[in-house]
Amino acid sequence: MLSSSAVTVRGDLSGSDLGPADDAGWFEREPLVLLVEDDPGDALLVEELVADAEHGMRLEWVRTLAEAGERLAVEVPDCVLLDLRLPDAQGLEAVARIRAHNDRVAVVVMTGLDEESTGLAALASGAQDYLVKGRVEPELFARAVRYAIQRKQAERTSAELQASQMRAQENSRLERGLLPTPLLGADRAVDVVARYRPGRAHSLLGGDFYDVVQDPDGIVHAVIGDVSGHGPDAAATGVALRLAWRTLVLTGVTGSRQLRLLEQVLLAERTDRLTFATATSLMLDPSTKRVVVRRAGHPGMLHHSDGELCWLEVIGGAALGFMPGRAEWPAAEIELVTGAGLMLFTDGLFEGRVGRNGDRLGEAGLLDVARAVPAARPEVFVDDLIGRVEELAGAAGGLDDDLAILYMCWNDGRKGELP
């Protein structure tokens, strides 16, 4: 008599015409089948079917759904062979409970001679196949189990593809909110090069955002920011901040009041009390070539002028959300002569680990890399810099964090080279 324990029945795998299920080693291993059956006689019949089948498989037997749940918590089989009349579950309830335990496993239900309609209903409830007791030959049994495993794998692959497509669509919508087209008009006062890269650990967008708007007086307003965290919550908060910033600029709200209101938006939109955002805002006056900078916990900038590249970090205040209602963001004024350029970025550009030792690139390392980039135009410089940073991070697995970049210089009517 078959005991309620693990039983291994092996057969010849040669000649199988079935493709891989969960991995490329499908031909090199025997599928594990968990039999859930309270009748020892029926369980013995299943064991004989496995033994007589040309293609081997490993069979384990439990008597109840409760025992099946315990077994699924330890190891996920390739297939569950499920009787629909159990002491602790009847009919389609058994299918639903197996799927609740683990929806990644294939399910083949076993029905009586007068229950074929129940087997069809089980297919509609998520089972991959059904077998009628007393009408199954060994080869039909083995084929049904293996096809069910492959069918489940195909369902999972299709579901994952659909989820990936939905994520791509969500990313596209979020990207339009986070990374807008600069609002400059035909008589733009500045040229802008903007770039964004998602981190490798998550293909989704993070909370990095930027925007550039030129007002009717010709003043150019720019912002770059970074919401802590990753994923849809951080991205949604970044979109809210970016849209709020553009609205404030278009309604004439600038300076510290602008950052104060952005902080209020952050506090209202964030889903975690620990969420904060760094930001740098600029006001560029083309008539004076002066730039007013306010920095809220954000990294410094790269300043390109007269063939020199330096790290520029003006006085600043706390990140938005760090000290709600109490932070101050003093204004700093710098000169940006014709031909000079400012590059703003988020910390993903220099916080990544580089080299085999996994050391962080850091601000000094980024400056060294940037100084070694022999580029003639801003867009080439930015792309080459990103490429070099990504190459350095490759040995450590790639960039972990998102990165956003804004390179701005005065529009002097030329396709000028870097200063």
Side-chain angles (χ1 to χ4, degrees):
M1 184 65 67
L2 185 68
S3 62
S4 180
S5 60
V7 178
T8 300
V9 182
R10 301 185 185 278
D12 181 13
L13 287 176
S14 63
S16 172
D17 58 354
L18 298 176
D22 287 342
D23 52 52
W26 174 253
F27 291 106
E28 300 174 4
R29 67 175 179 85
E30 298 169 337
L32 173 61
V33 177
L34 178 64
L35 171 64
V36 189
E37 169 64 73
D38 66 318
D39 188 325
D42 286 341
L44 183 59
L45 290 176
V46 171
E47 181 191 14
E48 291 174 350
L49 287 171
V50 171
D52 292 341
E54 179 182 356
H55 307 297
M57 62 184 68
R58 294 175 294 150
L59 182 67
E60 294 188 10
W61 173 40
V62 295
R63 297 172 182 267
T64 66
L65 267 180
E67 293 178 11
E70 294 173 359
R71 188 68 188 87
L72 288 169
V74 175
E75 181 181 6
V76 180
D78 296 287
C79 181
V80 171
L81 193 60
L82 180 64
D83 183 26
L84 294 183
R85 292 186 177 274
L86 297 169
D88 53 351
Q90 294 289 316
L92 300 182
E93 176 195 357
V95 178
R97 287 176 58 182
I98 286 292
R99 296 188 67 195
H101 281 299
N102 193 307
D103 193 35
R104 297 177 62 83
V105 63
V107 178
V108 176
V109 301
M110 296 187 299
T111 68
L113 295 175
D114 58 344
E115 297 177 320
E116 191 165 356
S117 62
T118 305
L120 293 171
L123 296 182
S125 298
Q128 277 62 58
D129 207 343
Y130 74 95
L131 298 172
V132 179
K133 295 179 182 179
R135 292 185 177 178
V136 182
E137 298 296 328
E139 282 308 304
L140 174 61
F141 169 81
R143 181 171 298 180
V145 169
R146 288 176 174 264
Y147 279 6
I149 295 171
Q150 289 190 316
R151 195 172 297 118
K152 185 62 179 181
Q153 174 66 11
E155 291 174 5
R156 286 163 47 189
T157 301
S158 177
E160 290 167 359
L161 177 60
Q162 183 178 11
S164 176
Q165 291 172 339
M166 291 181 65
R167 284 196 299 269
Q169 293 171 357
E170 292 170 357
N171 279 1
S172 179
R173 288 192 294 269
L174 286 171
E175 185 175 353
R176 288 196 296 271
L178 288 168
L179 317 174
T181 301
L183 188 59
L184 295 172
D187 58 343
R188 67 185 188 279
V190 298
D191 288 327
V192 178
V193 176
R195 296 290 187 268
Y196 175 85
R197 293 286 190 281
R200 66 170 173 85
H202 51 90
S203 58
L204 298 174
L205 292 170
D208 294 12
F209 64 94
Y210 61 75
D211 203 353
V212 181
V213 173
Q214 185 171 341
D215 67 25
D217 296 328
I219 304 297
V220 177
H221 305 260
V223 68
I224 191 166
D226 183 2
V227 179
S228 61
H230 303 294
D233 288 340
T237 302
V239 170
L241 291 177
R242 206 280 303 169
L243 291 173
W245 178 87
R246 178 172 282 201
T247 301
L248 291 170
V249 169
L250 293 175
T251 55
V253 179
T254 60
S256 291
R257 182 166 178 252
Q258 181 189 90
L259 291 175
R260 188 82 61 203
L261 292 173
L262 286 180
E263 185 174 61
Q264 292 181 19
V265 172
L266 171 70
L267 298 178
E269 294 291 333
R270 67 184 182 181
T271 57
D272 185 333
R273 290 184 59 192
L274 299 180
T275 299
F276 63 91
T278 66
T280 292
S281 70
L282 305 182
M283 291 176 58
L284 301 91
D285 188 340
S287 64
T288 64
K289 306 301 183 184
R290 307 294 291 180
V291 181
V292 177
V293 184
R294 280 186 169 83
R295 192 167 64 91
H298 202 75
M301 305 170 281
L302 291 181
H303 182 234
H304 235 144
S305 182
D306 296 329
E308 296 291 332
L309 183 66
C310 66
W311 184 277
L312 180 61
E313 190 163 312
V314 302
I315 187 172
L320 306 179
F322 259 15
M323 302 169 56
R326 294 179 288 124
E328 298 292 338
W329 301 284
E333 190 171 294
I334 61 175
E335 184 178 12
L336 187 66
V337 299
T338 300
L342 282 177
M343 193 179 91
L344 289 74
F345 42 84
T346 55
D347 61 8
L349 188 61
F350 61 85
E351 283 293 322
R353 300 189 180 278
V354 298
R356 298 189 179 277
N357 295 329
D359 297 329
R360 293 199 180 276
L361 177 62
E363 297 170 354
L366 174 63
L367 182 58
D368 289 340
V369 173
R371 285 173 170 168
V373 175
R377 299 188 308 278
E379 60 271 22
V380 177
F381 170 78
V382 171
D383 290 337
D384 284 355
L385 177 58
I386 293 174
R388 293 193 179 205
V389 170
E390 289 180 328
E391 183 179 356
L392 288 171
L399 294 175
D400 288 319
D401 201 359
D402 314 291
L403 66 89
I405 294 177
L406 276 180
Y407 189 106
M408 292 178 294
C409 56
W410 299 116
N411 175 27
D412 56 6
R414 302 177 299 170
K415 294 290 184 181
E417 298 183 350
L418 283 176

